[in-house]
Amino acid sequence: QLALCMLDELPELSLDYLGNTIVQRIYDKCDDLIRDIILRKLKSHLGIFGIHKSGTWVCQKLIKTARMSRHIKFIIEGVEPYCSALFNDQFGNYVIQEVVKFGSQWNQFIFDNILINFWTICINRYGVRAIRACLETSENKIAQEQLIIIASIIVLYSEYLISDHNGTLLITWLLDTSSFQNKYLLLTRHIVPYLSELCCHKLGSLTVLKVLNSRGNDIAKQLIIDNIFNFNDDDTEGNQVPD
């Protein structure tokens, strides 16, 4: 009865630093039918809630407690139009990190948005960390195809990501965390044309050194060395590499 009487006030209460706790408590105590009514009322406000320091707690409560498919659908309908803005917001990025846990049958729109707005999100300190958090979500929540697509675009943009303070976090994920085979070789082949610039860059040089110091990636290492010293098949036997 209390929830239904307060229904029209719930959006405003959700943005109050005390009122949001009341909304969360009411939602916890309600059964699925009343939760359904509350979600129908609040779903159009989720984008605003997500980027608000008080509203984000209500938004995350609705997401964490969603179990029924129609409740998940309501949340996605409210979040999807504001996905890019949520990625790049200090509060909103946590909303995206919770939504991705719904599983690959529901979270594909997040990965579509990453592809469409990849560079805009990657150069943002909150956005790039949200991408990495999504990629590190437990395997049963993300499809292998989704990881492959994101890894591919990271390699495609690697010459820019390597020299960016935020973007380099994705390079670190690719090399240190992902389980893809030949990841060092794929990355090296793509950045070889830009080695001179990257080796002279304080961030870019760190990635080149990471490849050179890695174990079991001899082809990638040799590729870098050959290009740095301009080795090729036409070199004469008398040519020596200076100390």
Side-chain angles (χ1 to χ4, degrees):
Q1 289 177 342
L2 183 61
L4 294 177
C5 288
M6 297 173 62
L7 195 61
D8 290 335
E9 284 74 37
L10 290 182
E12 185 175 354
L13 286 172
S14 297
L15 299 179
D16 183 78
Y17 79 104
L18 293 177
N20 81 88
T21 63
I22 303 298
V23 177
Q24 292 182 64
R25 189 63 174 170
I26 288 175
Y27 196 77
D28 274 334
K29 292 294 184 180
C30 290
D31 59 23
D32 288 334
L33 178 60
I34 304 302
R35 286 185 175 188
D36 194 298
I37 296 172
I38 293 175
L39 270 175
R40 289 177 184 271
K41 180 70 176 180
L42 296 183
K43 70 175 184 178
S44 61
H45 302 276
L46 292 184
I48 296 175
F49 289 175
I51 62 174
H52 191 276
K53 63 181 180 180
S54 298
T56 189
W57 297 113
V58 174
C59 194
Q60 292 181 52
K61 169 65 74 171
L62 300 180
I63 296 169
K64 290 179 180 179
T65 55
R67 296 293 181 267
M68 304 179 67
S69 58
R70 72 172 180 271
H71 291 172
I72 295 176
K73 183 179 179 182
F74 289 153
I75 291 170
I76 291 175
E77 288 175 354
V79 169
E80 185 172 4
Y82 309 99
C83 189
S84 182
L86 290 169
F87 256 116
N88 289 344
D89 184 80
Q90 61 176 323
F91 304 117
N93 75 91
Y94 294 107
V95 173
I96 296 298
Q97 293 178 45
E98 291 297 330
V99 172
V100 80
K101 296 176 184 177
F102 284 154
S104 57
Q105 70 272 31
W106 297 104
N107 62 26
Q108 181 58 44
F109 77 94
I110 292 177
F111 292 90
D112 292 340
N113 196 271
I114 292 174
L115 292 178
I116 295 171
N117 303 287
F118 185 73
W119 187 245
T120 302
I121 297 174
C122 284
I123 60 175
N124 182 278
R125 60 180 297 190
Y126 303 112
V128 72
R129 285 164 176 79
I131 291 178
R132 189 177 64 175
C134 290
L135 294 172
E136 293 177 350
T137 304
S138 57
E139 292 182 1
N140 62 332
K141 302 297 183 182
I142 299 179
Q144 186 69 10
E145 292 80 4
Q146 293 173 325
L147 289 176
I148 291 173
I149 290 173
I150 300 302
S152 300
I153 197 170
I154 290 174
V155 172
L156 183 65
Y157 279 80
S158 57
E159 68 269 26
Y160 306 108
L161 296 173
I162 287 173
S163 55
D164 183 80
H165 285 280
N166 296 312
T168 191
L169 294 176
L170 295 181
I171 299 295
T172 301
W173 170 83
L174 178 68
L175 297 180
D176 295 347
T177 306
S178 70
S179 58
F180 299 117
Q181 295 182 350
N182 299 322
K183 54 190 177 183
Y184 278 87
L185 182 57
L186 290 173
L187 179 68
T188 302
R189 284 176 173 170
H190 190 79
I191 65 173
V192 156
Y194 314 98
L195 273 181
S196 58
E197 293 86 356
L198 295 177
C199 288
C200 297
H201 193 279
K202 63 179 180 179
L203 286 178
S205 60
L206 296 178
T207 299
V208 177
L209 286 172
K210 183 189 288 286
V211 176
L212 291 173
N213 291 328
S214 63
R215 296 182 178 180
N217 300 292
D218 295 338
I219 299 177
K221 296 179 191 178
Q222 194 62 46
L223 189 59
I224 290 177
I225 293 172
D226 289 350
N227 278 271
I228 288 177
F229 294 103
N230 293 317
F231 289 165
N232 56 59
D233 295 335
D234 296 330
D235 287 343
T236 62
E237 294 180 358
N239 286 346
Q240 296 181 355
V241 180
D243 292 336

